[in-house]
Amino acid sequence: MDGTGSVEVKELGDGTEVGAAEPDRRGTDGDDGAAPSSRWRRYAGRFTLPGCWGALVFACLSFTPSLLPRGGFLQGLVWGITAAIGYGLGVWAAAMWRAFPDRPPRRPSRRSWLVFAGVAVVALVIAFVLGQYWQHEIRDLMGVTHYNIALAVASPVIAAVTFCLLVALGRGVRRAYHWLAKWLDRWIGARAAAVVGWVLVAVLIWSVVSGVLLSGLSSLANQAFSLKNETTAEGVEQPTSGLRSGGPGSLVPWDTLGYEGQKFVAGGPSGQEITDVVGRPALEPIRAYGGLDSADDSETRAALAVDDLARAGGFERENLLVMTTTGSGWVDPAAVDSFEYLTDGDAATVSMQYSYLPSWISYLVDQSKAREAGRDLFDAVYDRWLQLPPDGRPRLYVAGESLGSFGGETAFSGEYDLRNRTSGTLFAGPPEFNTLFGEFRDGRDEGSREVEPVYRDGRTVRFANDAAAGIPPADQAWDGTRVLYLMHPSDPIVWWGPDLIFREPDWIGEAPGQDVLEDMVWIPLVTFWQVSADLPFSTGVPGGHGHHYTTEYVDGWNSVLRPEGLTADYLARVKEAVAGE
């Protein structure tokens, strides 16, 4: 007890709480004491009763549905993480409750633990059964047939291991704080030592996570993926056409294109393949690309890619597409293939790499590179495009998926800039943090849903869950440049953000999207971790759901390009060809 009469409660390594002034091993770590028998205390006394109640409540809530189906392993992780959060909140709530009457912890009875155990068994069985039912409903909604019963049965074990590891980690942090506060107490007052101790621990953790772990993992990942970047994918061969970067006469050497760049320039439909699908003569599409090893910096790399585009005759085609890649330099083949089919091959596409890393790592450490690449590439194309006679310029389009849409947006200041400098734009699966996407979404017209917003009567920018089913507002004209965002209601990339921790988003409070369960509700903290767990598996679902965009590009480009005379049968043949690529 300090000079104000307050008692500092500490949790010892075995789960025992003591007062700062007078150690008393009768209590547990943040509860009203330990179980009476030494054997009972040995097992149950390692955890507090309030903490266990909190863990139980949050564990049950972890079974509520999120955006995508969860297998047994993932459910176990979500279960364990959420229970650990609940445990921490339970311990904190008990400490706050005792602070008001300023009393020390008291020992719970054996009966209290038995009541908890009985309630826990019943509650977890009910939650587990409901969770399996919800997961079945989501799988059925998305056409997912795979289900691993063994992992579902093993999920409680996975949850228990995850829970214990996180609790142990939390206790380790607390011990570090107590040691630091005790050490500081030699030179400064107890209150100041407590505050400064927490600040120093927080700074230390942040430094370790952001400086050592994040930077170290980023460095290791960069080395690993840079090695992959130097290889060539199986079945990919150097182009024999001068219409592709890396081919005869190209300004960009084949071995500098990188793993994804080589796949891009070597892939896609030929002129004859387009002719066979659409049933009319088609040209051989042009594809230009700048790899990360093709030039030393982003601006030079963009200029080189554009020079190669011009060499191949890209500015002489009717349609020119600037495609921003994801972090690793990946270009979604469905997006470009659809563009080439619907333009009868009278098209040229230019893109470039800015990182070795996958999108999710690039988001953490390479956001500036994505912005820089998006601006540099479009500006280089646009500068060359402006030098052409007005009647000799190709129609200029912009596209990107996921982090590619993030980079693609950065070349523009807003709706009018997109309208004035392009002939059309198609972005798919835009991350929640995209600047323009957020501006359009948050500025939507009153009465429109966040899952399919309407921005300023849809005069330029529109959103579609399924472009084939219609793009709202259907009763309003869509003249001039068309900017279209494709986004599935079940795509966690589109909806995940830190605000999910403490604020219910409109897309959950409003009527759900077509592939999201009505039973999904927002729960503070819980929903954030559920949607976070959906992120790594967002592409592992059938096309049309999650972050898996395929034939939607055909309907999307059909709306943006507005080609004449296309029948439903024509579009069906193109979709079949795109799906088979």
Side-chain angles (χ1 to χ4, degrees):
M1 182 175 295
D2 60 20
T4 62
S6 63
V7 175
E8 180 189 1
V9 177
K10 300 182 180 180
E11 182 188 37
L12 299 181
D14 63 354
T16 302
E17 282 188 350
V18 297
E22 184 66 31
D24 183 356
R25 292 189 172 271
R26 292 176 300 173
T28 61
D29 57 8
D31 187 21
D32 299 329
S37 71
S38 59
R39 184 175 181 182
W40 185 256
R41 177 180 176 180
R42 180 182 175 186
Y43 296 102
R46 294 182 183 275
F47 298 97
T48 75
L49 188 56
C52 288
W53 278 111
L56 174 62
V57 171
F58 272 66
C60 292
L61 292 175
S62 72
F63 289 96
T64 56
S66 57
L67 294 174
L68 300 177
R70 295 194 294 266
F73 180 78
L74 183 58
Q75 178 59 58
L77 289 179
V78 173
W79 182 353
I81 292 172
T82 309
I85 294 172
Y87 181 83
L89 290 176
V91 171
W92 176 82
M96 293 300 100
W97 178 259
R98 290 194 305 271
F100 284 99
D102 191 19
R103 67 170 177 80
R106 291 178 297 185
R107 181 180 300 163
S109 65
R110 181 186 182 91
R111 180 180 178 183
S112 297
W113 281 106
L114 291 175
V115 168
F116 166 78
V119 173
V121 170
V122 174
L124 287 175
V125 168
I126 294 174
F128 186 87
V129 172
L130 284 175
Q132 295 304 303
Y133 167 76
W134 282 319
Q135 293 306 310
H136 169 75
E137 291 290 294
I138 298 176
R139 290 195 301 272
D140 187 59
L141 196 62
M142 297 186 178
V144 176
T145 57
H146 176 72
Y147 178 66
N148 192 317
I149 298 178
L151 284 178
V153 174
S155 62
V157 178
I158 298 170
V161 172
T162 303
F163 172 78
C164 291
L165 288 176
L166 291 176
V167 171
L169 179 63
R171 287 175 173 172
V173 171
R174 187 193 61 246
R175 288 172 183 168
Y177 155 70
H178 283 312
W179 177 87
L180 188 58
K182 183 178 180 180
W183 181 76
L184 290 171
D185 192 28
R186 300 175 181 176
W187 292 277
I188 59 178
R191 290 184 175 181
V195 173
V196 174
W198 272 123
V199 170
L200 290 178
V201 168
V203 170
L204 179 62
I205 293 174
W206 173 254
S207 299
V208 169
V209 172
S210 62
V212 178
L213 291 182
L214 190 57
S215 297
L217 290 175
S218 173
S219 178
L220 289 174
N222 200 61
Q223 293 178 20
F225 286 103
S226 65
L227 293 176
K228 178 182 178 181
N229 192 66
E230 297 174 359
T231 65
T232 299
E234 184 178 356
V236 172
E237 297 181 356
Q238 185 173 359
T240 57
S241 170
L243 299 180
R244 304 293 177 100
S245 290
S250 174
L251 303 178
V252 185
W254 167 254
D255 59 1
T256 69
L257 290 173
Y259 185 87
E260 298 294 348
Q262 291 179 347
K263 287 172 58 179
F264 170 67
V265 299
S270 65
Q272 185 58 53
E273 288 171 332
I274 296 175
T275 298
D276 294 342
V277 170
V278 304
R280 56 194 187 196
L283 298 175
E284 183 85 12
I286 294 173
R287 293 189 175 191
Y289 191 92
L292 198 59
D293 297 330
S294 300
D296 293 333
D297 58 75
S298 176
E299 186 174 352
T300 307
R301 194 177 308 122
L304 178 62
V306 173
D307 286 343
D308 204 41
L309 174 71
R311 173 204 60 81
F315 288 95
E316 299 167 16
R317 292 298 175 95
E318 191 70 21
N319 306 281
L320 174 57
L321 174 62
V322 180
M323 186 79 186
T324 308
T325 71
T326 61
S328 61
W330 180 73
V331 177
D332 191 338
V336 181
D337 292 356
S338 301
F339 182 79
E340 293 170 343
Y341 277 113
L342 293 181
T343 57
D344 294 341
D346 193 2
T349 303
V350 60
S351 188
M352 76 174 194
Q353 183 184 18
Y354 57 84
S355 175
Y356 298 127
L357 304 175
S359 289
W360 68 275
I361 304 180
S362 294
Y363 164 64
L364 295 174
V365 300
D366 279 349
Q367 281 193 44
S368 60
K369 292 183 180 179
R371 292 190 185 97
E372 184 180 32
R375 284 193 301 265
D376 288 344
L377 182 59
F378 182 82
D379 288 347
V381 172
Y382 192 69
D383 181 65
R384 186 72 63 93
W385 182 86
L386 282 176
Q387 297 174 26
L388 300 174
D391 58 352
R393 295 169 181 167
R395 288 191 291 266
L396 184 57
Y397 297 93
V398 175
E401 179 184 349
S402 193
L403 197 61
S405 71
F406 171 75
E409 279 190 357
T410 59
F412 305 95
S413 59
E415 175 194 5
Y416 283 109
D417 201 18
L418 282 164
R419 185 184 186 95
N420 294 333
R421 293 207 290 159
T422 72
S423 297
T425 300
L426 182 61
F427 289 136
E432 190 270 346
F433 53 80
N434 276 23
T435 303
L436 295 186
F437 170 61
E439 177 184 318
F440 301 145
R441 179 198 62 220
D442 297 340
R444 65 188 181 276
D445 296 348
E446 186 176 355
S448 65
R449 296 184 302 159
E450 186 176 25
V451 73
E452 200 168 32
V454 174
Y455 180 75
R456 299 189 178 179
D457 293 324
R459 63 190 184 189
T460 302
V461 180
R462 296 197 178 187
F463 303 82
N465 302 153
D466 180 3
I471 303 173
D475 58 345
Q476 296 290 331
W478 198 9
D479 301 321
T481 296
R482 294 184 174 187
V483 177
L484 178 61
Y485 284 88
L486 297 176
M487 52 189 207
H488 298 147
S490 59
D491 186 351
I493 302 294
V494 175
W495 309 115
W496 180 90
D499 287 351
L500 272 175
I501 299 176
F502 297 116
R503 184 181 68 84
E504 180 181 13
D506 292 340
W507 60 269
I508 293 183
E510 298 166 347
Q514 58 192 9
D515 59 352
V516 175
L517 285 186
E518 292 186 8
D519 294 323
M520 182 177 180
V521 296
W522 176 77
I523 305 170
L525 297 175
V526 176
T527 302
F528 171 79
W529 288 111
Q530 288 178 324
V531 178
S532 297
D534 288 335
L535 292 174
F537 307 95
S538 58
T539 59
V541 291
H545 305 286
H547 199 58
H548 192 178
Y549 298 85
T550 53
T551 56
E552 298 96 318
Y553 283 113
V554 176
D555 296 307
W557 277 124
N558 185 42
S559 298
V560 173
L561 291 167
R562 288 171 283 182
E564 297 180 356
L566 299 192
T567 64
D569 180 64
Y570 182 105
L571 292 176
R573 294 199 306 271
V574 173
K575 287 181 181 179
E576 184 178 357
V578 169
E581 287 289 337

